[in-house]
Amino acid sequence: MPAFVTLSGRSVRLEPLSLAVVDDLVAAASEDRSTYGFTPVPHGREEMASYVEAALAEQAEGRTMPFAIRWLHTDRVVGATRLMHLEYWQGPMPWPPGTRGAVGEVPSVADIGYTWLAASAQGAGVNRESKYLMLSLAFETWQVHRITLKADVRNVRSRAAIEALGAHLDGVRRAEARGSDDTVRDTAYYSILSSEWPLVRERLHARLDLVEAA
């Protein structure tokens, strides 16, 4: 199981998700819920506590690494995100096929998802730097082969943000899941491969105005 870490950037710090930040997350999610048209975000303390508890249960199994997003500009928790669907390809193949194998030391592939932000933090670069921090951990520390990102095909804003990273559109899975608006949604799947990370990193550095260390 990978060691849990705090990821610090210039304006964002990704902190281990815990029940201690439930009230902060409730406040963040309550700012303007009209911005969550295609994103399921817990509403109220009871839903938020259940959301955090479920994430921590998956973390205990080595299947997810959930974070609270702290915006250093305001020193407030303004949302959440996670590295999820962690798969471990080390060791013998599990049998029968399709069963979950033993958790390894580091994941081989992962998804980034369950990302949501308070209305005040949207469009302020918080999402971009959060993605950069998680991608850096996945590709440079874990050395994963692939990161997957996905979005409701109707969510133009999320898809544009994913495409701006330089992720490749793998395709659209039709009738893939129940949408947050209780419809049956189609889902756009994107990926970034380890061979593509250097170019993606360079693009993110430019957009975040970061300078490579000499």
Side-chain angles (χ1 to χ4, degrees):
M1 185 183 301
F4 210 93
V5 293
T6 296
L7 304 177
S8 297
R10 178 180 293 178
S11 61
V12 169
R13 186 165 66 240
L14 302 186
E15 304 171 350
L17 187 66
S18 73
L19 290 169
V21 297
V22 165
D23 289 334
D24 294 330
L25 291 171
V26 171
S30 300
E31 285 188 3
D32 181 2
R33 295 193 60 83
S34 68
T35 62
Y36 304 138
F38 300 112
T39 304
V41 177
H43 188 36
R45 198 179 196 285
E46 183 176 351
E47 284 189 12
M48 192 65 73
S50 296
Y51 165 87
V52 173
E53 288 169 352
L56 296 179
E58 288 192 10
Q59 176 195 330
E61 295 181 348
R63 304 297 173 184
T64 191
M65 183 172 282
F67 297 98
I69 303 172
R70 185 175 296 277
W71 192 12
L72 301 180
H73 174 67
T74 60
D75 195 29
R76 292 189 303 117
V77 171
V78 293
T81 189
R82 67 186 73 171
L83 284 152
M84 52 191 273
H85 297 159
L86 307 184
E87 294 184 19
Y88 302 83
W89 295 353
Q90 307 96 326
M93 294 288 287
W95 188 262
T99 59
R100 296 202 299 187
V103 171
E105 293 184 1
V106 292
S108 303
V109 295
D111 290 14
I112 291 177
Y114 278 101
T115 304
W116 62 269
L117 290 171
S120 60
Q122 295 174 20
V126 174
N127 178 61
R128 187 181 306 132
E129 188 168 19
S130 297
K131 293 291 193 298
Y132 170 73
L133 293 171
M134 288 187 288
L135 288 167
S136 296
L137 172 67
F139 284 117
E140 297 175 12
T141 301
W142 296 347
Q143 297 187 337
V144 300
H145 302 291
R146 184 195 73 239
I147 287 291
T148 298
L149 306 102
K150 56 187 180 181
D152 188 315
V153 293
R154 301 168 297 175
N155 194 339
V156 176
R157 182 171 182 173
S158 288
R159 293 187 65 182
I162 293 171
E163 290 167 4
L165 296 173
H168 174 78
L169 176 62
D170 294 326
V172 174
R173 182 177 292 179
R174 298 177 297 167
E176 191 267 345
R178 177 180 176 178
S180 59
D181 58 352
D182 287 330
T183 62
V184 177
R185 85 175 208 180
D186 298 339
T187 300
Y189 278 74
Y190 295 85
S191 64
I192 301 171
L193 303 183
S194 57
S195 60
E196 298 164 346
W197 168 238
L199 183 58
V200 171
R201 179 179 56 196
E202 182 179 343
R203 178 181 299 191
L204 280 168
H205 276 197
R207 298 192 70 194
L208 291 167
D209 193 26
L210 298 175
V211 178
E212 288 278 13

